[in-house]
C-alpha cells in the first residue's frame, strides 16, 4: 500500500510512503491546506473519507483517547504506535504532533526517525521543555532556550534526511506571553536551523496576533496555524494573509466525546437502545470504513474454494 521500501540496513529501515499528495507539496503550495485531527485508525479513516488531504496526529487527542493528560504522560512509543495504526488505514499524509520532542535532541531525533519508519510524513516540535503542558492549560509554559531547541531541530534533520519528511517548528512565545519580537527571533532561528515550516500558536479569541506575526514574517517559511480558540475567523482571512496550512486540531476527539456522552446518557436513562439506533452510525458504515469488502474479496482469492463458496 505504501510503495517501495528504502531499506539499506535493518536499523535504517524507512518505508517510503507514497500518499496521493505529499505533505511537503501541500505545505509549500500557494493554496491554503487543511489538516484534520485524528487520534486512531478509525478517526483517520473518517477524516480521509470526508475528503481531507492531510491528517494532524494530535498529541492532545491521542493522549485523551489513551486516557492520559496532554502533559507528556503518553510515551513516545505509545504515540508512534497510534500513528502506525493511523497510517495503516489512511493513505493521506500525517503530520505528527511530536510535542517538545520527548526530551532533548536525542529523544527528538529518535522519535522523528521512528515516526518516519511508521509512515508519518512530518513532525511538529514545539519550543518547550519536557514535560510539556497543553497550551490551553494554565499559565506556566516555560520556553526552551533558543539554541538548545535549534539543536533539537538540527538533530531531527540530520537523523531523517528524507526530503519528503517535513519538520515543523512550533513557536509558543505568544502562548507564554512573550510577544511578537520573541516569536520572530525564534522563527528566524528555527528557519536557520533547518525547519521546513513554522507553526505559530495563539490562544487569543481573535487572530490579530497571528496576522501581526505573518505581516512581519513575510512567509520566509510557510506558516501553519491552529485556530482552536480563534475559531470565528473565516478562512478567507488566512488565504489573504498567505497562511499555508490550517490545523483543525481536536475536533474529531471532541465530537466523539459529545456523541458518546449523549448516547451513554440516553441508554442509561431509557434502559434501551431503541431510541438511539437512528442517531448512531450503522454497522454497515463501520464495515465500509474499515474495508470489510476487501477482506471478502481476499478470501475468495487466497482461501481454498469449495463449490458452495469459501471453505
Ligand atoms: C494538539 O492538538 O495536541 C496541539 C494543539 O498541540 S493544542 O492543543 O492547541 O496545543
Ligand atoms: Mg499537542
Amino acid at each position: 500500500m505504501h510503495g517501495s521500501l528504502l531499506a539499506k540496513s535493518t536499523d535504517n529501515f524507512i518505508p517510503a510512503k507514497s500518499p496521493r499528495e505529499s505533505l511537503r507539496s501541500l505545505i509549500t503550495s500557494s493554496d491554503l491546506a487543511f489538516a484534520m485531527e485524528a487520534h486512531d485508525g478509525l478517526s483517520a479513516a473518517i477524516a480521509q473519507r470526508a475528503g481531507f488531504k492531510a491528517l494532524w496526529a494530535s498529541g492532545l487527542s491521542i493522549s485523551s483517547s489513551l486516557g492520559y493528560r496532554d502533559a507528556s504522560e503518553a510515551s513516545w512509543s505509545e504515540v508512534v504506535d497510534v500513528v502506525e495504526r493511523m497510517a495503516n488505514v489512511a493513505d493521506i499524509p500525517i503530520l505528527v504532533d511530536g510535542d517538545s520532542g520527548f526530551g532533548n535532541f536525542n529523544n527528538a531525533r529518535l522519535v522523528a526517525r521512528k515516526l518516519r519508519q511508521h509512515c508519518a510524513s512530518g513532525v511538529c516540535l514545539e519550543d518547550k521543555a519536557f514535560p510539556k503542558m497543553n497550551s490551553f492549560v494554565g499559565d506556566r509554559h516555560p520556553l526552551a532556550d533558543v539554541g538548545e531547541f535549534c539543536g533539537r531541530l538540527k538533530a531531527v534533520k540530520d537523523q531523517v534526511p528524507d526530503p519528503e519528511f517535513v519538520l515543523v517548528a512550533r513557536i509558543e512565545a505568544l502562548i507564554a506571553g512573550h510577544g511578537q519580537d520573541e516569536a520572530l527571533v525564534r522563527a528566524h532561528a528555527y528557519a536557520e536551523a533547518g525547519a521546513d515550516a513554522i507553526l505559530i500558536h495563539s490562544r487569543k479569541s481573535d487572530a490579530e496576533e497571528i496576522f501581526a506575526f505573518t505581516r512581519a514574517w513575510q512567509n520566509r517559511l510557510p506558516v501553519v496555524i491552529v485556530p482552536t480558540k480563534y475559531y470565528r475567523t473565516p478562512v478567507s482571512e488566512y488565504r489573504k494573509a498567505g497562511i499555508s496550512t490550517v490545523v483543525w486540531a481536536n475536533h474529531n476527539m471532541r465530537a466523539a466525546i459529545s456523541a458518546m456522552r449523549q448516547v451513554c446518557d440516553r441508554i442509561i436513562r431509557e434502559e434501551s437502545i431503541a431510541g438511539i439506533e437512528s442517531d448512531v452510525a450503522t454497522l454497515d458504515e463501520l464495515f465500509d470504513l474499515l474495508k470489510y469488502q476487501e477482506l471478502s474479496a481476499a478470501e475468495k482469492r487466497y482461501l481454498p474454494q469449495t463449490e458452495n463458496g469459501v471453505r
Side-chain angles (χ1 to χ4, degrees):
M1 163 183 165
H2 298 318
S4 63
L5 299 177
L6 300 175
K8 293 277 184 291
S9 73
T10 315
D11 205 35
N12 286 325
F13 179 82
I14 295 183
K17 190 174 184 184
S18 37
R20 266 179 252 126
E21 194 172 5
S22 79
L23 183 63
R24 182 171 294 277
S25 52
L26 284 174
I27 282 187
T28 54
S29 144
S30 55
D31 291 339
L32 183 65
F34 298 93
M36 181 64 191
E37 172 261 313
H39 52 272
D40 58 14
L42 186 59
S43 53
I46 291 169
Q48 172 164 349
R49 185 67 68 96
F52 282 100
K53 300 282 192 300
L55 297 175
W56 166 252
S58 155
L60 172 62
S61 302
I62 291 173
S63 303
S64 306
S65 72
L66 294 174
Y68 290 124
R69 291 163 290 206
D70 186 20
S72 301
E73 290 186 346
S75 71
W76 69 261
S77 57
E78 286 174 309
V79 172
V80 169
D81 284 349
V82 170
V83 171
E84 193 269 336
R85 299 315 311 152
M86 290 168 58
N88 195 57
V89 294
D91 53 13
I92 52 178
I94 303 174
L95 173 60
V96 179
D97 176 2
D99 285 348
S100 53
F102 298 88
N104 70 1
F105 78 92
N106 192 37
N107 308 87
R109 68 180 179 172
L110 172 69
V111 175
R113 185 160 140 266
K114 290 290 174 196
L115 287 171
R116 187 68 192 105
Q117 288 171 343
H118 287 87
C119 296
S121 295
V123 67
C124 175
L125 294 184
E126 66 195 60
D127 56 359
K128 293 210 272 228
F130 178 90
K132 52 68 61 95
M133 173 51 77
N134 182 273
S135 305
F136 301 136
V137 177
D139 290 322
R140 202 169 45 83
H141 295 282
L143 299 185
D145 170 77
V146 178
E148 187 274 327
F149 188 71
C150 286
R152 279 185 242 172
L153 299 174
K154 284 184 195 149
V156 168
K157 273 287 163 190
D158 289 345
Q159 183 75 201
V160 190
D162 177 353
E164 279 301 309
F165 192 75
V166 174
L167 174 59
V168 179
R170 165 168 159 178
I171 295 169
E172 291 281 290
L174 303 179
I175 296 285
H178 290 289
Q180 289 293 337
D181 289 350
E182 181 69 25
L184 282 161
V185 165
R186 285 173 177 266
H188 285 290
Y190 304 161
E192 294 300 322
D196 300 300
I198 295 293
L199 190 160
I200 181 74
H201 204 12
S202 165
R203 57 184 195 180
K204 293 265 165 67
S205 58
D206 64 57
E208 280 323 304
E209 62 180 10
I210 294 292
F211 295 138
F213 177 86
T214 54
R215 278 193 298 274
W217 177 244
Q218 291 290 307
N219 264 339
R220 176 174 175 191
L221 288 177
V223 172
V224 179
I225 59 166
V226 182
T228 301
K229 291 286 180 179
Y230 45 98
Y231 53 84
R232 287 195 182 83
T233 308
V235 295
S236 55
E237 301 280 313
Y238 304 142
R239 290 196 171 94
K240 251 189 267 162
I243 284 164
S244 145
T245 305
V246 170
V247 173
W248 307 125
N250 46 50
H251 298 79
N252 266 331
M253 184 263 297
R254 288 164 61 196
I257 292 174
S258 10
M260 289 190 282
R261 188 177 1 84
Q262 280 170 30
V263 133
C264 285
D265 287 350
R266 273 193 75 175
I267 294 176
I268 198 165
R269 197 172 58 240
E270 297 172 8
E271 293 189 332
S272 166
I273 51 174
I276 50 96
E277 180 60 22
S278 59
D279 294 337
V280 294
T282 63
L283 288 172
D284 282 344
E285 185 181 344
L286 170 62
F287 300 152
D288 182 40
L289 273 168
L290 293 181
K291 302 199 175 98
Y292 280 54
Q293 72 282 16
E294 187 280 332
L295 177 57
S296 28
E299 283 173 343
K300 293 203 180 72
R301 194 177 160 116
Y302 299 118
L303 286 179
Q305 304 292 305
T306 63
E307 274 176 21
N308 303 330
V310 171
R311 190 183 297 164

